[in-house]
Amino acid sequence: MSEISKEYDFKGVEERWVGAWDESIYYFDWNSSAPQYIIDTPPPYPTGNFHIGNALNWCYIDFVARYKRMRGYNVMFPQGWDCHGLPTEVKVEEIHGITKNMVPREEFRRLCEELTAGNIAKMRVTMRRLGFSNDWSNEYVTMDPDYYSKTQRSFVRMYDDGLIYREDHPVNWCPRCGTAIAFAEVEYDSRTTTLNYLQFASPLGDLEIATTRPELLAACVAVAVHPNDELRRKYIGSEVRVPVFDYPVPVIADEAVDPAFGTGAVMICTFGDKQDVRWWVEHHLPLRQAIDREGRMTEAAGNFAGMKISDCKDAIIDEMRSGGIIFKEEPLDQNVGLCWRCKTAIEILSERQWFVKIDPGEIVETSAEIRWVPEHMETRLLNWTGTMDWDWCISRQRIFATPIPVWYCEGCDEPLVAKEEWLPLDPNLTGPPVPCPKCGCCDFEPETDVLDTWMDSSISVLNVTGWLGLHEPRYPAQLRPQGHDIIRTWAFYTILRAKALVGTRPWDSILVNGMVLGEDGRKMSKSLNNFIAPEEVVAKYGADAFRQWAAVGGSPGSDVMFRWKDVISGGRFLQKIWSMYRFSAPHAVRSDDAAPNQVDRWLLFELSAMIEAVTESMERFAFDEAFRAIRSFAWEVLADHYIELVKARLYGPEGPEKRAAQDTIYKALEALTALLAPFTPFIAEEIRRNLSGESVHTASWPETLPIEPQPEGLLIKEVASAVRRYKSDRGMALNSPLAGIEVYCDLDLETADLSGSTGSSVSVKRGGPEIETRAVEVRPQMKAIGPIFKEKSGEIIGELKEMDPAVVARMVEAGRIEVDLGGDLVEVSPAAVEIVTETLSAGRAVDMISLDGATVLIGTGP
Ligand SMILES: [Zn+2]
Ligand SMILES: [Zn+2]
């Protein structure tokens, strides 16, 4: 064996293994009969940076994947890339100094693909460096035809099943991104705005209305009041005139109006918010669209047409102020809906869009079949499901996304949805191979809208389980790991789609991880200067140390703070393991005829109990508990106690006793490396290969051993550790011999390891020791004597020192000390002396240590 370095070279070891590992051992075997464990790994957005939040999530996944493999499962830990979307389009525009409309669609798409491929390559490097055991034979890229043909086929199937339809319907619209977005993509933020009070003219007297959005006056289609509103009831059924634009709208009654808000009368616009949409539908109101797709005022806004929304708002307010129409303005805190990508305030526009039908009842039922970890995360899905008013808008007005495989007949305007066997295709590049089935016309307009990227990623689970693939499909998957921020999108849509397309729940379990917070406790972000890249941590302390932070930083589901100290202590643990390995390596020898003694059996019992606890924690995804149990066994039980106890045997003569210790160390290291493999795959591999020549990553998870608790070995360990403390308290070298150790207890303890580790002769006796205590010295206390006896003090102290300590001790017990100063009896307080005693056993001076279950006597004199 080559010499083992004293310092653990994490960098050298980790980089060597990254280059040397055969990744095919992580491939899923489609032909295996072993139980499957398929993980629906999140496909990250290929930004080029695998950020620390990803890294935390992937650590959890890797802990599970490696653990399950070792437990004999046929594991798939695939890796996908969710490529489509606006951020890449924006980046391409930035890099090339263009806007998407300046180059042909295909060229723009090609630039997006090129950027994405480069970013994926960068992120793969980081993932490998972090030691993740991905199954790269099951990689997928949503922008590749292989994948998006499945997205398109899923669209066609759901269309054929009546689950997808196209309709004019109000949708959330981001004027900056220039596209419709789904409700799940709207974020709410509170902002202070102004509530403007204005008059709507009426023959019954002006009706006062309060609104935060006067720029929508041109979109006003009605005014509503509460039917029980005494003051305003008279207006119901009449018409009032919209100020500035001067056209009549009806006053309607609706119970949803809050008479206590504003003036008690509200204007209904198409559309200010979701409530406007409800009223618009319920009261069959007309549509007046005053805002266009770019966020500018339409012709309906008359003189304000062409203005940006905010400019129009200022102009209208000015006009109404000077005309005396606004009679009051007050600040109001309001929740405003924002685009989740760019934080622009969204508008609600009525647009012809594609929708997926949502059946909230089915989502709730299916979710109940899934094990949620932690359990309370399911509430987020259920609450969200309870707010579903609208179906899922899936069409987007962008380019870099899966094309919607549809054309419109120029003759009769009928949509022609592609057949599955024509796919994949882009209707902008390819026409349909058949004429219009309705009118026979051969001219078509392509659908230029594309699909929401969640349409791609919500079939990730179907893709990895083999839907529309070469093998017999294997859904449901066993695990979906994901962040809590995408429960209402990715989790929700996946459940919906799996049920719609294959009629089953998508996975057995969902493991929800928290977000990573900076060391200041705030969400990690570049602008807050608390941002840490995984590469930075790996360069300083290595992947194994980083992964330990992920393991112990918190339990899954809770937000986890990034702490350098966790990483640093991770690095220390690696060094500790390495030092222990370095010491043990020459002694770790497997032996078939080893006869373990009490101490060996105690260690094996502790090992077995730890294996059981760690296994149980892993089954609950309680990685922090699992790793702490391993660490405390390795550090305290094995390194600090067992190895110290058996050193003498290891360095002693050949024989069964020595072989038993060597074999026990071998077993402990073998099990320990296996248990560490999911958490710290690099050091586990390095040690295991040196130990047995085999990879720890093809090894099995350790079994518990058939062994009972070992009270004798446990007590030996307690005694040895008490003796060590005794020596260290007295500043003695740990290997300095003592004048004999007697252990009194009710167990038959073997003494070899005790005497070996204490460097002293040890005898074990039944029952308790016979002890007597003897006063051996009187120490007068000047502090107590001086102030009272002044110049006599010296004489008193001299006399006390001369007296028989046993006599003085009896006087102290009786409460008064009498000192004879040349015939004068002087009384001294018991507080004036300290009596030094000595403990004797069978006439020999000893120190006594009381332990739970034993008394230890240590000889102090001849
Ligand atoms: Zn936006
Ligand atoms: Zn037609």
PDB file of all heavy atoms in Angstrom, residues 174 176-177 339 341-342 344, ligand 1:
ATOM      1  N   CYS A 174     -48.889  39.870 -19.927  1.00  0.00           N
ATOM      2  CA  CYS A 174     -47.760  40.717 -19.551  1.00  0.00           C
ATOM      3  C   CYS A 174     -47.435  41.613 -20.732  1.00  0.00           C
ATOM      4  O   CYS A 174     -46.998  41.136 -21.772  1.00  0.00           O
ATOM      5  CB  CYS A 174     -46.527  39.897 -19.172  1.00  0.00           C
ATOM      6  SG  CYS A 174     -45.088  40.969 -18.902  1.00  0.00           S
ATOM      7  N   ARG A 176     -45.052  43.676 -21.119  1.00  0.00           N
ATOM      8  CA  ARG A 176     -43.629  43.755 -21.429  1.00  0.00           C
ATOM      9  C   ARG A 176     -43.179  42.524 -22.202  1.00  0.00           C
ATOM     10  O   ARG A 176     -42.499  42.611 -23.217  1.00  0.00           O
ATOM     11  CB  ARG A 176     -42.790  43.892 -20.160  1.00  0.00           C
ATOM     12  CG  ARG A 176     -41.398  44.483 -20.436  1.00  0.00           C
ATOM     13  CD  ARG A 176     -40.346  43.966 -19.469  1.00  0.00           C
ATOM     14  NE  ARG A 176     -40.111  42.552 -19.695  1.00  0.00           N
ATOM     15  CZ  ARG A 176     -39.225  42.076 -20.563  1.00  0.00           C
ATOM     16  NH1 ARG A 176     -38.484  42.897 -21.279  1.00  0.00           N
ATOM     17  NH2 ARG A 176     -39.094  40.782 -20.712  1.00  0.00           N
ATOM     18  N   CYS A 177     -43.599  41.330 -21.723  1.00  0.00           N
ATOM     19  CA  CYS A 177     -43.220  40.103 -22.416  1.00  0.00           C
ATOM     20  C   CYS A 177     -44.057  39.915 -23.678  1.00  0.00           C
ATOM     21  O   CYS A 177     -43.729  39.084 -24.525  1.00  0.00           O
ATOM     22  CB  CYS A 177     -43.378  38.889 -21.508  1.00  0.00           C
ATOM     23  SG  CYS A 177     -42.358  38.972 -20.020  1.00  0.00           S
ATOM     24  N   CYS A 339     -46.152  39.976 -13.451  1.00  0.00           N
ATOM     25  CA  CYS A 339     -45.590  38.877 -14.236  1.00  0.00           C
ATOM     26  C   CYS A 339     -44.445  38.270 -13.439  1.00  0.00           C
ATOM     27  O   CYS A 339     -43.555  38.974 -13.001  1.00  0.00           O
ATOM     28  CB  CYS A 339     -45.070  39.408 -15.565  1.00  0.00           C
ATOM     29  SG  CYS A 339     -44.013  38.273 -16.473  1.00  0.00           S
ATOM     30  N   ARG A 341     -41.962  36.556 -14.270  1.00  0.00           N
ATOM     31  CA  ARG A 341     -40.627  36.606 -14.884  1.00  0.00           C
ATOM     32  C   ARG A 341     -40.028  38.006 -14.808  1.00  0.00           C
ATOM     33  O   ARG A 341     -38.864  38.176 -14.523  1.00  0.00           O
ATOM     34  CB  ARG A 341     -40.718  36.224 -16.359  1.00  0.00           C
ATOM     35  CG  ARG A 341     -41.064  34.792 -16.607  1.00  0.00           C
ATOM     36  CD  ARG A 341     -39.834  33.936 -16.804  1.00  0.00           C
ATOM     37  NE  ARG A 341     -40.194  32.633 -17.285  1.00  0.00           N
ATOM     38  CZ  ARG A 341     -39.604  31.504 -16.889  1.00  0.00           C
ATOM     39  NH1 ARG A 341     -38.648  31.542 -15.991  1.00  0.00           N
ATOM     40  NH2 ARG A 341     -39.976  30.357 -17.393  1.00  0.00           N
ATOM     41  N   CYS A 342     -40.851  39.036 -15.129  1.00  0.00           N
ATOM     42  CA  CYS A 342     -40.248  40.366 -15.261  1.00  0.00           C
ATOM     43  C   CYS A 342     -40.834  41.391 -14.303  1.00  0.00           C
ATOM     44  O   CYS A 342     -40.412  42.541 -14.300  1.00  0.00           O
ATOM     45  CB  CYS A 342     -40.390  40.853 -16.703  1.00  0.00           C
ATOM     46  SG  CYS A 342     -42.077  41.310 -17.145  1.00  0.00           S
ATOM     47  N   THR A 344     -43.519  43.016 -14.213  1.00  0.00           N
ATOM     48  CA  THR A 344     -44.365  44.074 -14.756  1.00  0.00           C
ATOM     49  C   THR A 344     -45.808  43.805 -14.324  1.00  0.00           C
ATOM     50  O   THR A 344     -46.231  42.656 -14.261  1.00  0.00           O
ATOM     51  CB  THR A 344     -44.293  44.041 -16.299  1.00  0.00           C
ATOM     52  OG1 THR A 344     -42.939  44.208 -16.684  1.00  0.00           O
ATOM     53  CG2 THR A 344     -45.147  45.133 -16.932  1.00  0.00           C
TER      54      THR A 344
HETATM   55 ZN    ZN B   1     -43.337  39.794 -18.203  1.00  0.00          ZN
END
